[in-house]
Amino acid sequence: MELTHMRTWAEIDLDALEHNYHTLRAMAPAGCRFLGLVKANAYGHGGVPVGKKLEELGADMLAVACVSEAEELRQGGITRPILCLGQTPVELAPLLVDLDVTQTVEDLETGKALSQAAQAAGKTLKIHVKLDTGMSRLGFLWRAGGDNSRLLEDIAALCALPGLEAEGLFTHFADADGSEAYTMDQLTRFLDAKKALEERGIGFTIYHCGASTAVLHYPCTHMNMIRPGIALYGYYPAPELAGLDGPGLEPVMEVKSRIAAVRKVPAGTCVSYGRTAVLKRDSRLAVVPIGYGDGYPRQLSNRAFMEIHGTLCPVVGRICMDMCMVDVTDLPEVKAGDVAVVYNGALLEQDAEMVGTIVYELLCDVAPRIPRVYVQGQGKKKL
Ligand SMILES: *Cc1c(COP(=O)(O)O)cnc(C)c1O
């Protein structure tokens, strides 16, 4: 479809992705591997195109939440190692082997089933062993100061299983943008586990624990692979982290919408469902074809702003499923067909705060019906 025919679209700036990639990579020590998070459709940016770009840039590994996401990447032609972070039903183990996906494992039983499936296929399945050091999500639970002998035995047995290649050991921080003490506690547990395993002769090729916050804020967590997600897409997980990277991250996505109509409406008129807004003056309202069916949160009704002709204009009345109204009274030149910027870096951060969530969620919510348009190189600003 021609861009001019799209009601609403998400512009994905692959140059910004490239900039962020290089910026984050430069923060890690030389030789450190780079795993790019492309779960949840690459945080809404499109799994395959983003995965391909990261592959081209030299990312060593990509990570997804589940095997179907890995399948999509492989079908899209991506050949880089892919780590599946979530659990995969053992019945799907042959698929993991087929797709050559590296699976996260956090218990011996699952490891045994995967080992059998790999052997049956006559192949080797790579695994990364997950440790729970304080997130209480997935992983072998490491107890600080407690007896971890059972855990060490299980991991040793897991690593010895035929058909499996235990390539990595990792953990995930629960409060990296909150408590430094808690994060360092988690790191200590991870390092203790690493050491205890090494003392039993069990070593891994790759050790990793740092997501975006840790990449930016805690170089001591980088190990030999970093694992950023949101920073790759141009956002700081917390405001105080802004600038820690030096050059500054660049937001990759902008959501834009083409104004469907501009209407003159007299003072005193009610706007949209529930009549939550009443116009105080004779107004011009732009009808913008984006709504909560596109992932634009209804809680932003009467609160959000969009950028039209470089000016911030307020959303008036309730956001509908497919449309909403924006006050353009002060911009007499605005007409149907003009572009409204719904999300850019600043608007998205503001909107997330207004809704009481994080930018991650609003990015993931950008609905499948919004086409992703990829831009890079010269001429991209013409859109
Ligand atoms: C999502 C995720 C990341 C990336 O987190 P960001 O905060 O987006 O950088 C890293 N590791 C794991 C295990 C994750 O689930």
Side-chain angles (χ1 to χ4, degrees):
M1 197 192 284
E2 293 287 324
L3 193 66
T4 48
H5 295 158
M6 289 177 191
R7 62 189 269 280
T8 295
W9 66 96
E11 227 166 83
I12 313 294
D13 184 342
L14 294 175
D15 292 338
L17 182 71
E18 180 167 347
H19 167 85
N20 299 335
Y21 171 82
H22 289 305
T23 303
L24 295 168
R25 182 133 231 180
M27 299 196 73
C32 184
R33 289 175 170 83
F34 188 105
L35 176 153
L37 265 291
V38 295
K39 62 190 180 189
N41 198 29
Y43 291 47
H45 294 68
V48 170
V50 168
K52 280 203 157 151
K53 183 70 187 180
L54 291 174
E55 185 169 68
E56 177 196 314
L57 290 170
D60 302 278
M61 203 171 208
L62 303 173
V64 295
C66 55
V67 67
S68 57
E69 289 183 344
E71 193 171 26
E72 192 188 332
L73 297 185
R74 288 284 183 248
Q75 282 168 355
I78 286 165
T79 57
R80 263 313 125 111
I82 298 175
L83 175 63
C84 178
L85 294 168
Q87 291 225 309
T88 302
V90 288
E91 294 78 13
L92 296 184
L95 185 59
L96 287 174
V97 173
D98 254 17
L99 296 170
D100 188 21
V101 168
T102 307
Q103 177 60 44
T104 297
V105 181
E106 58 272 330
D107 65 88
L108 183 56
E109 284 314 301
T110 309
K112 284 179 180 163
L114 293 174
S115 156
Q116 280 173 3
Q119 285 178 282
K123 294 198 181 166
T124 302
L125 179 68
K126 281 190 183 155
I127 62 165
H128 282 209
V129 178
K130 178 91 185 259
L131 281 179
D132 177 4
T133 57
M135 172 75 179
S136 303
R137 194 164 67 179
L138 293 176
F140 287 92
L141 181 63
W142 180 265
R143 290 164 216 279
D147 176 13
N148 289 294
S149 52
R150 175 72 199 277
L151 170 152
L152 291 168
E153 269 167 37
D154 279 0
I155 294 180
L158 171 63
C159 293
L161 287 171
L164 297 186
E165 180 191 336
E167 179 192 56
L169 182 73
F170 76 110
T171 192
H172 192 52
F173 296 125
D175 196 20
D177 55 356
S179 165
E180 175 168 341
Y182 193 81
T183 305
M184 291 306 114
D185 248 21
Q186 280 196 264
L187 178 64
T188 304
R189 289 178 201 190
F190 185 69
L191 293 173
D192 286 349
K194 176 177 184 280
K195 182 155 167 269
L197 286 163
E198 278 165 358
E199 281 165 5
R200 291 178 166 236
I202 299 162
F204 297 84
T205 312
I206 311 179
Y207 294 93
H208 51 112
C209 45
S212 295
T213 300
V215 172
L216 291 162
H217 197 36
Y218 296 117
C220 57
T221 64
H222 291 177
M223 311 280 141
N224 62 4
M225 185 160 79
I226 54 172
R227 217 171 58 215
I230 197 71
L232 206 40
Y233 302 104
Y235 293 90
Y236 296 94
E240 64 273 16
L241 301 174
L244 282 183
D245 53 300
L249 301 172
E250 293 175 9
V252 174
M253 184 195 290
E254 284 194 2
V255 173
K256 297 182 179 177
S257 197
R258 204 170 285 283
I259 295 172
V262 177
R263 308 181 60 250
K264 281 189 181 162
V265 190
T269 309
C270 306
V271 183
S272 194
Y273 291 123
R275 300 181 292 135
T276 58
V278 180
L279 297 175
K280 292 193 177 69
R281 55 174 179 174
D282 291 350
S283 304
R284 294 173 74 248
L285 294 182
V287 181
V288 182
I290 187 167
Y292 61 80
D294 299 290
Y296 193 49
R298 190 168 171 275
Q299 299 103 294
L300 290 175
S301 299
N302 289 307
R303 298 166 86 186
F305 289 82
M306 290 186 193
E307 193 183 300
I308 301 175
H309 291 202
T311 302
L312 293 179
C313 304
V315 169
V316 187
R318 290 231 176 108
I319 293 170
C320 312
M321 188 185 288
D322 314 305
M323 288 178 240
C324 59
M325 276 60 87
V326 175
D327 188 339
V328 293
T329 313
D330 297 326
L331 298 175
E333 71 287 1
V334 170
K335 57 185 187 311
D338 289 354
V339 172
V341 179
V342 181
Y343 288 156
N344 57 24
L347 287 171
L348 188 72
E349 281 179 342
Q350 250 174 44
D351 291 345
E353 198 174 320
M354 276 194 251
V355 174
T357 186
I358 50 179
V359 293
Y360 298 66
E361 187 175 355
L362 295 192
L363 288 171
C364 288
D365 282 350
V366 174
R369 80 168 170 190
I370 295 189
R372 271 63 171 173
V373 178
Y374 296 88
V375 297
Q376 65 183 325
Q378 286 192 330
K380 69 183 180 189
K381 294 300 173 201
K382 281 191 199 142
L383 291 178

